[in-house]
Amino acid sequence: MTMIIKSRKQLPLAASRAEENLPVLPLRSALIFPGETHTIQMGRKENLELLKAVARRDNLLVLSFSPQRIPTTATPHLSQVGVLARVQSIKPAMANSKMVTLEGIRRIALLDIVTSVPFVEARVAEVEEGTADVPDLGEHLSEITHLISNMVRFDNRYSQELIYNLEMNRPSTSAFSDRVGAMIHFQLGDKQEIINAVGLGERLEILIGLLKEELAKYSLSTKIESRVTESLERKKRESFLRQQLMEIKRELGEELVEENLSNIYQRQIRGNSALPKEVTNRLLLEAGRLAHLSSSSAEYGSAKSYIDFILSLPWNGAPLEPFDLVKVEEAINKEYYGLGHIKEQVLEYLSMRQMSRDIRELPILCLAGSVGTGKASLVKAISKAMGRKLVRINGASLIIVEDIKGSHRNDIGAGPGQLIRAIQSAQSFDLVVYLEDLEYVVESEDTNALLALLEAVDPRQNGNFVDNYTGIPLDLSRVLFVLGITGEDFPEPFAHRLEMVEMSGYIEREKIVITKKHILPKLYKRYGLTRTELKFTDKGLSRIISQYTMEAGLIGLQQQLEKIFRRITRKKAACEACKYSINETNVDQFLGTPQFIPEKAMSKPEIGVANGLAWTGAGGDLMLIEGLKMRGTGQVFTTGSLGDVMKESIQAAHSFVRARADLLGIDHNDFVNFDIHIHFPMGAIPKDGPSAGVTVSLVIASVMAERPINNEIAMTGEVTLRGRVLPVSGVKEKVSAAYRAGLHTIILPKENNKDIQELPREIVRKTTFVFIETVDELFEQGLLDFTPSTYSLEKIFAEEIEKAKKRTKSKPKAASAKTKKKTTKKRVKKAT
């Protein structure tokens, strides 16, 4: 909707003139004063429609300033005080536009908008400009003339004819003031202020203020320009005099400082036999240029810094001798506590790097894992075992090409990239460079930065790496680059060049061992405490891990331990008795209320509740999957923030259990007359994946057969539509979660039996693992409780089931699957 920008003062409307409706032309790039003729180009559709309407209204229209500089589809905002104008001529122009000549007549006020389509039309009235005597009129006019004379004298944008033109309009004060506003280069907003000033006295005061501002601006710009010119002239003069002084000294045979330094550099370069020929020639060229440059020039400082940096690189460093793999393995085992397959993969890579005849074909070692999972610790162990210095570079400092390859010497603040700086700082090419947190580079989505990083770390390309600053090929193949990334996959072209080492999260037992072996000794030393003053029990550490942290790594655990150390240190500093033992009962005295409450298994068997196992970014977790049967039409409802894969897994499990209704003693009509609701607790956490298929199958069988599930067993596994149990990932974390919850019998897919080797010996020794290939074997494990008091079956069936249980107990434990299957079928046959 078109809006009128009201004037700050009440307008004196002329009483002798009647109000009328006239078209309004918004002006955005120019203003036309009364008595001024101006030609503008009009090409917008609404403006061309306005011209047609003006031709039918004596060629009269209103010109109003709109502060919206860019035309929009919306209707414009218009100033209340405008100028009544007459169209003098209309001529065709390019692109169907018109060149329109307008003549300003007088000021006019916009009262309100009549319409905005197809052009703006407003109700207008003439304003009374006032003819009363203005106090100090002559002084105002003289001051305006004097200010304009100064502008003409100092500002070459105005000619002397401007003063003569204004003198012609002096008899009419109103015309004189409008002429000044039109001819001086004021801002459009300032010109509109002049038009808004209906009273002559106010208008003249505004003109005087604006003229003074223009003179002040021009005076300031003149001073600045004068200072810049003087500075440039002074520098030119000094440069000329220095050049003359250098020539005079040469004629007198005196040695210049610049030539002396140049000669020193040249002798140093020629005497360094370790420099490659290409580097020697480049440095001699730069040293020769120093003799012809002034020591006060910026180019002299740039050339000197370049020579110093190139000479400071470790050209004399001989390659290190091959390392002993046996000693490396021993050192890594001593410094790093982790899974055996990770160490094996790293040792295989190091062996391949040492024995390979063509290092260019080797991949790049990359450690992928959550924060705190030991990536940096493993790299430290590798560098220490190999006898190399370790340099760590954060990915946040490598998000642009200049961070990696440096900037060109002609750029302001030019310098080498981070990698060359690291080599210069360590004074060796035989380094272990750990580029950590590279997810920052991936998230920056700068393809050029990724390609530059690949050029620097890829053995196929970094044999002749050229930094933009040095401009000299450097061999980076001697550097062992190790990449580190958290939770992100490298895009192409990185992926196929990486030797990925998956750093999975630590389980609770591993965290306790690492804490006692590495973290606590470091904290004792940092806070000046001894083991007699502060002691941690395994159960105390276990409670801190399970109830105060939720992570795959050890960062949060170390932070919680530091809270305890700081508190004990404060007590010791206050001369209090310092001898504390942190156990499971007093942890909350130091750390407060537990932040996380771990899931616990049910205390007794229940219908429709099974112990599932889930993998999370913070490790494994116990997940109680619940099911409920209710009257309905045979639908399956799911809740708990489930993904599409998990929903499909539930549907497949339901179909399989329905197909096994006879075996389980379930009436087929129940699947039509009852709905099933499957719920996964902790609904705020999204869940997905197929590994809950085994657990869901058992829950559905439990609710449909009305038989409770053994609460002392946990399980995981993917189920196909035909009941096959497929392997799953994250077995170590899932088994650890069951062990923490006190569940020592775990059902796993048969193909996951090899994953048991990765588990701590304590867990393996105390846990019974049952491996299954089909869901039928799951039902044969006796997980569904047949106790008569827990479900409604006739007494005769209950007795038969009790007899079957007794017979099963009397048989040897290692019964064959065939015998178990026959016994189950016999029981079901008798029960049905």
Side-chain angles (χ1 to χ4, degrees):
M1 181 178 180
T2 304
M3 183 181 73
I4 297 177
I5 304 174
K6 298 291 184 180
S7 177
R8 289 194 293 266
K9 295 185 178 180
Q10 186 175 1
L11 298 176
L13 302 179
S16 58
R17 297 282 180 160
E19 299 175 357
E20 58 180 327
N21 296 341
L22 287 177
V24 180
L25 176 64
L27 297 179
R28 296 181 175 88
S29 58
L31 281 179
I32 299 177
F33 282 81
E36 182 187 7
T37 301
H38 198 79
T39 301
I40 61 175
Q41 184 175 3
M42 299 170 60
R44 294 174 63 86
K45 182 179 179 180
E46 59 270 23
N47 293 340
L48 297 178
E49 293 291 336
L50 181 144
L51 288 178
K52 295 178 182 179
V54 165
R56 300 190 294 267
R57 303 188 185 187
D58 298 332
N59 288 333
L60 294 177
L61 74 161
V62 177
L63 307 177
S64 177
F65 173 66
S66 175
Q68 296 170 298
R69 298 298 300 274
I70 300 176
T72 61
T73 55
T75 50
H77 296 175
L78 303 174
S79 301
Q80 185 177 18
V81 180
V83 176
L84 180 67
R86 176 177 284 108
V87 177
Q88 297 284 6
S89 64
I90 302 175
K91 295 180 180 180
M94 297 174 60
N96 297 325
S97 61
K98 304 291 184 182
M99 298 299 297
V100 183
T101 302
L102 301 171
E103 178 189 8
I105 301 176
R106 60 177 179 271
R107 286 173 173 78
I108 201 164
L110 278 68
L111 302 181
D112 53 46
I113 303 299
V114 177
T115 181
S116 299
V117 180
F119 52 84
V120 180
E121 187 173 348
R123 185 168 59 89
V124 299
E126 184 180 351
V127 295
E128 185 66 48
E129 299 191 21
T131 57
D133 293 338
V134 179
D136 303 327
L137 177 62
E139 295 181 4
H140 286 342
L141 295 178
S142 299
E143 185 173 3
I144 290 173
T145 304
H146 175 69
L147 292 172
I148 293 176
S149 299
N150 290 336
M151 292 181 65
V152 170
R153 186 166 63 254
F154 296 118
D155 194 342
N156 54 14
R157 293 181 299 172
Y158 304 105
S159 64
Q160 195 68 30
E161 296 178 358
L162 174 62
I163 299 178
Y164 301 143
N165 194 328
L166 293 176
E167 288 294 337
M168 294 175 58
N169 291 277
R170 185 146 186 178
S172 173
T173 307
S174 178
F176 176 80
S177 61
D178 289 339
R179 194 63 179 165
V180 172
M183 299 187 70
I184 303 300
H185 302 313
F186 295 129
Q187 298 290 333
L188 292 179
D190 296 335
K191 289 191 175 187
Q192 181 60 38
E193 287 295 324
I194 299 173
I195 294 177
N196 289 342
V198 178
L200 288 177
E202 178 187 4
R203 196 184 311 166
L204 295 176
E205 290 177 357
I206 292 175
L207 279 173
I208 292 172
L210 293 175
L211 289 170
K212 288 181 178 179
E213 288 180 8
E214 286 293 317
L215 276 174
K217 291 178 184 177
Y218 184 78
S219 176
L220 179 61
S221 63
T222 302
K223 288 181 180 178
I224 294 174
E225 184 178 353
S226 175
R227 290 174 184 172
V228 172
T229 303
E230 290 177 3
S231 176
L232 293 176
E233 290 295 332
R234 185 172 62 254
K235 288 181 179 180
K236 289 180 181 179
R237 181 171 174 271
E238 291 175 356
S239 177
F240 176 73
L241 292 176
R242 285 195 182 92
Q243 192 66 29
Q244 283 188 327
L245 181 62
M246 290 174 64
E247 294 299 330
I248 292 173
K249 287 184 176 182
R250 285 195 182 96
E251 291 295 330
L252 294 175
E254 297 181 4
E255 193 175 49
L256 300 175
V257 176
E258 292 82 358
E259 290 183 347
N260 185 27
L261 183 61
S262 174
N263 294 332
I264 293 174
Y265 275 136
Q266 291 181 23
R267 288 194 298 269
Q268 186 178 354
I269 295 167
R270 290 192 177 97
N272 192 342
S273 59
L275 291 176
K277 183 178 180 181
E278 182 180 354
V279 177
T280 300
N281 295 336
R282 180 68 177 269
L283 292 180
L284 288 175
L285 178 63
E286 294 292 331
R289 291 179 62 243
L290 284 179
H292 304 284
L293 296 174
S294 171
S295 59
S296 61
S297 65
E299 190 175 359
Y300 179 88
S302 175
K304 183 177 180 298
S305 299
Y306 175 79
I307 297 174
D308 289 337
F309 181 81
I310 298 298
L311 289 176
S312 66
L313 291 175
W315 302 105
N316 294 321
L320 296 177
E321 296 181 0
F323 49 84
D324 188 346
L325 285 173
V326 177
K327 294 182 179 180
V328 169
E329 183 177 0
E330 293 175 354
I332 291 179
N333 289 331
K334 181 180 178 181
E335 296 293 330
Y336 175 74
Y337 182 87
L339 294 179
H341 75 277
I342 293 178
K343 297 178 184 178
E344 289 294 329
Q345 189 173 359
V346 171
L347 289 172
E348 289 170 2
Y349 177 83
L350 296 179
S351 303
M352 181 172 55
R353 181 179 177 87
Q354 177 163 315
M355 302 302 295
S356 177
R357 297 181 179 179
D358 189 1
I359 198 173
R360 293 175 299 177
E361 298 301 321
L362 294 180
I364 310 163
L365 185 61
C366 178
L367 309 180
S370 302
V371 176
T373 52
K375 298 188 294 295
S377 300
L378 180 57
V379 177
K380 288 180 182 177
I382 292 172
S383 64
K384 189 174 182 179
M386 297 178 65
R388 295 189 176 201
K389 292 183 179 180
L390 172 63
V391 177
R392 297 176 64 174
I393 301 176
N394 194 284
S397 62
L398 301 173
I399 57 177
I400 59 175
V401 177
E402 286 73 16
D403 294 334
I404 303 167
K405 298 193 64 176
S407 52
H408 296 278
R409 288 181 57 196
N410 55 356
D411 295 340
I412 298 176
Q418 293 280 356
L419 303 179
I420 305 301
R421 287 182 188 273
I423 293 172
Q424 187 263 348
S425 177
Q427 284 297 298
S428 174
F429 280 94
D430 295 294
L431 300 174
V432 176
V433 177
Y434 179 41
L435 306 176
E436 55 187 332
D437 298 333
L438 289 182
E439 59 270 12
Y440 293 111
V441 184
V442 176
E443 292 171 359
S444 68
E445 298 182 353
D446 187 351
T447 306
N448 294 328
L450 284 170
L451 293 176
L453 183 62
L454 179 64
E455 180 184 351
V457 303
D458 189 359
R460 294 188 303 182
Q461 306 179 48
N462 61 10
N464 288 298
F465 178 76
V466 179
D467 186 272
N468 291 331
Y469 178 76
T470 61
I472 298 172
L474 298 174
D475 184 10
L476 300 187
S477 61
R478 291 164 56 185
V479 180
L480 174 58
F481 288 101
V482 182
L483 311 185
I485 192 167
T486 302
E488 292 283 346
D489 292 332
F490 272 108
E492 292 292 343
F494 257 99
H496 70 284
R497 292 293 302 151
L498 299 179
E499 173 75 16
M500 296 294 296
V501 179
E502 296 290 342
M503 306 289 289
S504 57
Y506 296 113
I507 62 177
E508 182 178 302
R509 189 59 197 166
E510 291 174 337
K511 290 182 179 180
I512 293 175
V513 174
I514 295 173
T515 300
K516 295 170 67 176
K517 188 176 180 181
H518 297 285
I519 298 179
L520 288 180
K522 180 173 60 178
L523 295 181
Y524 281 127
K525 183 178 180 181
R526 179 183 302 173
Y527 290 93
L529 298 175
T530 63
R531 296 182 183 273
T532 57
E533 294 172 331
L534 179 60
K535 184 170 62 174
F536 290 86
T537 65
D538 286 1
K539 291 186 177 180
L541 291 173
S542 177
R543 188 179 176 197
I544 296 174
I545 293 169
S546 61
Q547 297 188 11
Y548 292 88
T549 65
M550 181 67 71
E551 59 178 350
L554 299 164
I555 299 297
L557 174 59
Q558 181 171 332
Q559 292 173 351
Q560 297 297 329
L561 293 174
E562 289 197 42
K563 291 181 182 179
I564 299 176
F565 271 87
R566 285 195 292 268
R567 191 163 181 179
I568 302 303
T569 304
R570 180 184 174 186
K571 291 180 179 294
K572 182 180 178 181
C575 299
E576 297 183 14
C578 185
K579 193 172 182 181
Y580 294 90
S581 177
I582 308 301
N583 52 54
E584 59 181 335
T585 60
N586 63 357
V587 168
D588 51 358
Q589 297 178 12
F590 296 91
L591 299 179
T593 305
Q595 301 175 15
F596 307 98
I597 301 176
E599 195 76 53
K600 295 182 179 180
M602 302 299 295
S603 58
K604 61 180 181 179
E606 292 190 15
I607 296 175
V609 181
N611 298 318
L613 298 173
W615 180 93
T616 65
D621 198 5
L622 181 68
M623 183 167 54
L624 299 180
I625 301 177
E626 303 172 342
L628 191 67
K629 180 177 73 171
M630 50 197 170
R631 287 286 180 181
T633 58
Q635 299 184 61
V636 178
F637 301 99
T638 58
T639 52
S641 299
L642 309 183
D644 293 337
V645 176
M646 184 167 282
K647 291 178 180 179
E648 293 174 359
S649 178
I650 293 172
Q651 190 61 50
H654 176 265
S655 299
F656 177 77
V657 173
R658 186 172 181 178
R660 291 293 190 273
D662 292 336
L663 177 65
L664 298 171
I666 303 173
D667 188 354
H668 283 280
N669 294 327
D670 289 352
F671 287 97
V672 179
N673 299 327
F674 290 92
D675 292 339
I676 300 176
H677 187 167
I678 303 297
H679 176 66
F680 287 70
M682 295 181 291
I685 302 175
K687 309 170 189 67
D688 205 356
S691 62
V694 166
T695 316
V696 172
S697 299
L698 193 60
V699 170
I700 295 175
S702 173
V703 297
M704 296 305 296
E706 297 183 352
R707 302 173 187 172
I709 301 173
N710 192 328
N711 62 308
E712 298 179 352
I713 297 179
M715 64 205 74
T716 182
E718 179 182 354
V719 174
T720 67
L721 191 59
R722 294 182 175 271
R724 291 183 60 246
V725 179
L726 303 182
V728 294
S729 59
V731 172
K732 185 186 77 168
E733 290 81 3
K734 293 176 180 179
V735 172
S736 176
Y739 183 80
R740 286 198 310 267
L743 302 175
H744 299 293
T745 302
I746 303 175
I747 295 179
L748 297 173
K750 189 173 183 178
E751 295 184 27
N752 284 116
N753 56 0
K754 58 182 181 298
D755 297 322
I756 304 302
Q757 301 173 1
E758 301 177 3
L759 296 171
R761 294 179 180 178
E762 179 184 352
I763 296 179
V764 176
R765 188 173 60 253
K766 296 182 180 181
T767 305
T768 301
F769 297 95
V770 180
F771 300 97
I772 60 175
E773 291 184 291
T774 64
V775 182
D776 290 333
E777 297 177 36
L778 174 70
F779 295 145
E780 294 169 5
Q781 296 297 327
L783 300 187
L784 294 181
D785 195 344
F786 286 82
T787 304
S789 60
T790 58
Y791 68 104
S792 57
L793 284 179
E794 297 181 12
K795 186 176 181 181
I796 185 172
F797 297 152
E799 292 175 354
E800 291 293 332
I801 292 170
E802 286 297 326
K803 293 178 183 178
K805 282 189 173 182
K806 291 179 180 179
R807 289 195 299 268
T808 304
K809 291 180 179 179
S810 63
K811 292 182 180 181
K813 292 184 179 179
S816 64
K818 184 176 180 180
T819 305
K820 292 178 181 179
K821 189 171 183 181
K822 182 184 293 185
T823 304
T824 306
K825 289 184 177 180
K826 187 176 180 180
R827 279 196 299 232
V828 173
K829 186 176 181 181
K830 289 182 178 181
T832 55

